[in-house]
Amino acid sequence: MSAQTHVPSLLSRAGTASVLLAAVGGTMLAPGAVSEAHAQPAAAKALNVAASKKGAPYKYGASGPHRFDCSGLTAFSYKKAGKALPRSAQQQYNRTRHIAASSRKRGDLVFFHAGNRVYHVGIYAGAGKIWHSPKSGQVVRLERIWSRSVWYGRVG
């Protein structure tokens, strides 16, 4: 069988897009969608910025560059990555695209809540850990997520 007669057979069985995708090794996207490779650089950069602030002291209301509260750290980190976030943890939650825990990726925001009230935020670092500025007397650090009362948000 020649390649010319074989290709139409593949196209009719698997669909044109699937065969072309397999042939070129690319990624199939919906029109207007941004691939994960394009969507994640800001998140990766924000995560790196937060990690670079390891040891910076907590200060209520501070948003950097040398002292931070929790939402100040996330806003500062994303600002350095080219994305604007509002000031408070609750406002940041309201502004992000809410995602399931199973969909979380490095650089997503982790929101700690009591009922419907968000009281703390950090940046997901992978392996169940976040970079955050915990509270007065402590410093920016990497820490395991300690609660099940968390929501996740992706900065768009």
Side-chain angles (χ1 to χ4, degrees), residues 93-156:
Y93 176 74
N94 294 344
R95 181 75 55 87
T96 60
R97 181 165 55 96
H98 305 160
I99 57 173
S102 60
S103 298
R104 68 188 181 186
K105 295 188 182 316
R106 291 167 44 95
D108 287 337
L109 297 182
V110 181
F111 298 96
F112 294 77
H113 65 93
N116 288 331
R117 186 180 73 82
V118 171
Y119 64 88
H120 188 65
V121 62
I123 299 181
Y124 188 64
K129 295 180 179 180
I130 61 168
W131 280 102
H132 71 134
S133 187
K135 61 185 178 182
S136 187
Q138 296 186 356
V139 298
V140 172
R141 66 181 183 217
L142 182 65
E143 188 169 8
R144 181 162 292 288
I145 297 171
W146 61 89
S147 173
R148 292 178 190 252
S149 295
V150 295
W151 294 322
Y152 296 89
R154 185 158 295 152
V155 177

Side-chain angles (χ1 to χ4, degrees), residues 18-92:
S18 298
V19 171
L20 292 175
L21 182 63
V24 298
T27 302
M28 188 166 59
L29 298 171
V34 177
S35 75
E36 201 61 31
H38 293 305
Q40 285 303 98
K45 183 168 185 181
L47 179 60
N48 289 336
V49 169
S52 77
K53 296 302 177 179
K54 178 181 180 177
Y58 177 95
K59 182 175 182 192
Y60 181 79
S63 55
H66 304 293
R67 298 177 185 277
F68 301 91
D69 67 7
C70 68
S71 58
L73 177 66
T74 54
F76 178 87
S77 299
Y78 266 94
K79 183 177 181 180
K80 291 291 185 184
K83 300 283 184 177
L85 284 176
R87 183 60 188 93
S88 76
Q90 182 69 58
Q91 291 168 336
Q92 290 177 9

